[in-house]
Amino acid sequence: ARMLYEVRVAANKGLGLFAKLPIPRGTRILAEKPLVALRSGQRPSDILGYAKKLDEKSREQLLGLSWHPGSGIKRLGRWSEALGWAVRNRRTKAIDATMKAASSSAAYELALFPVIARINHSCLPNAQANYHPLHRTFNVHATRDIPAGEEVSINYLPEVGQLQGQRVAKLEEGYGFTCNCPACDLSTNAGKEGEQSRKETRDSMKETRADMPARERQEWLREREIEALNLMLDMYRREDIVGREVASIYYHLARLQSSGDAFDDALTNARVGLRLEEDCLGADHPEYLVAL
Ligand SMILES: [Zn+2]
């Protein structure tokens, strides 16, 4: 069986993960167990002990994540320092997978997923990574149809609706790179339009009516929120932003609509949310199944 992806040089971004075959939306691209994992109470420097016990291939993989030059065990020592530093500063992509694992499983405090660490960021990603606490694997699913040769990307930021300036600042501070994805490139019309609709969506949520009677106001607020959520979801549809965070917005909208007795709309939106979530937990590619 052929692999669905390969790791190779991505222009200006170091290494990246690329689709080798067409990958339909909803397909699992890979599932990865941590290469090394530290439990609660262990320190980043304890990684050194684990690394010494790894087989040669895994150790090379681990060393490959370092930006520190050097060789052999000396390089390992530096690597563990680098990890300690990175954990404090949240500098590397590897650390992002680490943090996600830590927050979704009590078993691991720190865990390193070396292939997933190679996936670059986009504010308009075509994949999503989710930690599966029972299998203790990180799973990456295609959230859009990905043609062969396209780079696989995930969103490093937890929220999807931030303005370009906020996203760029967070990515620079947290990961040390400047995002130049299509949403962050404000020199294009698509970039400008996306940014404009983000601003409008945010502004539409600011308005309040403190002067209204309480009951009327509650109703009014619900309608306003429904309007704002619809605006936001229109924007995500235009930019093809999907994934579980967007699914949760559809669920929230469905709840608001059902509390306002708009049951048909609520059902429609709940189904859209479910469909988006299925894409992030979904099916396996035939080539992937053969490889298992
Ligand atoms: Zn971006």
Side-chain angles (χ1 to χ4, degrees):
R2 288 177 295 169
M3 291 274 268
L4 295 182
Y5 64 86
E6 63 183 342
V7 174
R8 61 175 163 87
V9 173
N12 305 326
K13 290 187 285 194
L15 294 174
L17 200 87
F18 291 81
K20 283 184 79 176
L21 300 172
I23 306 177
R25 145 186 180 178
T27 308
R28 174 155 55 172
I29 302 170
L30 70 119
E32 190 172 41
K33 286 196 188 295
L35 184 62
V36 278
L38 297 180
R39 287 169 203 287
S40 173
Q42 293 181 302
R43 287 161 299 133
S45 58
D46 292 331
I47 287 243
L48 188 58
Y50 283 88
K52 282 176 180 163
K53 290 181 208 148
L54 293 172
D55 62 50
E56 201 175 324
K57 187 168 166 270
S58 303
R59 194 160 50 227
E60 274 309 309
Q61 214 176 6
L62 181 64
L63 292 172
L65 290 171
S66 168
W67 345 251
H68 287 236
S71 64
I73 226 63
K74 201 170 158 200
R75 204 160 122 207
L76 257 186
R78 288 186 190 174
W79 188 86
S80 94
E81 282 164 32
L83 179 70
W85 180 81
V87 169
R88 286 190 297 278
N89 296 286
R90 297 202 63 193
R91 283 283 164 193
T92 71
K93 287 176 276 176
I95 302 312
D96 190 49
T98 295
M99 297 313 235
K100 281 185 183 160
S103 63
S104 50
S105 163
Y108 295 143
E109 194 72 11
L110 275 173
L112 209 68
F113 299 85
V115 176
I116 292 170
R118 294 299 187 201
I119 302 178
N120 287 311
H121 164 90
S122 172
C123 302
L124 305 175
N126 55 17
Q128 187 168 59
N130 289 291
Y131 186 69
H132 194 306
L134 289 179
H135 296 161
R136 293 196 177 165
T137 54
F138 238 90
N139 294 274
V140 180
H141 283 85
T143 52
R144 287 199 273 112
D145 292 339
I146 305 176
E150 186 172 295
E151 185 173 4
V152 175
S153 56
I154 56 176
N155 185 1
Y156 293 178
L157 298 173
E159 320 91 341
V160 284
Q162 294 176 314
L163 298 178
Q164 185 255 10
Q166 299 170 308
R167 297 196 308 270
V168 167
K170 279 194 179 173
L171 291 165
E172 278 175 353
E173 192 199 313
Y175 302 94
F177 71 91
T178 305
C179 190
N180 56 5
C181 79
C184 287
D185 182 359
L186 298 186
S187 69
T188 67
N189 279 337
K192 270 182 225 150
E193 280 164 23
E195 184 71 357
Q196 187 57 32
S197 63
R198 277 188 181 77
K199 280 195 185 121
E200 281 165 15
T201 306
R202 293 170 85 90
D203 290 346
S204 79
M205 293 205 222
K206 278 183 194 150
E207 198 188 339
T208 52
R209 289 275 176 88
D211 52 322
M212 269 189 185
R215 200 191 189 115
E216 206 180 311
R217 186 161 172 263
Q218 204 181 356
E219 192 103 327
W220 181 84
L221 279 174
R222 183 175 61 219
E223 289 309 314
R224 293 294 301 150
E225 194 174 357
I226 288 174
E227 232 171 87
L229 290 175
N230 273 317
L231 258 179
M232 191 188 287
L233 291 170
D234 280 347
M235 172 182 88
Y236 293 153
R237 267 193 297 274
R238 276 199 301 279
E239 294 190 311
D240 214 359
I241 293 179
V242 287
R244 298 179 79 185
E245 295 78 15
V246 179
S248 70
I249 298 173
Y250 276 100
Y251 296 147
H252 183 56
L253 176 60
R255 271 193 295 272
L256 288 172
Q257 286 170 328
S258 70
S259 71
D261 292 342
F263 295 116
D264 288 346
D265 289 345
L267 196 59
T268 303
N269 285 315
R271 284 192 176 126
V272 175
L274 197 60
R275 172 69 208 273
L276 292 183
E277 201 152 24
E278 275 170 1
D279 283 345
C280 304
L281 307 165
D284 288 330
H285 196 285
E287 294 280 347
Y288 179 92
L289 286 173
V290 174
L292 283 179

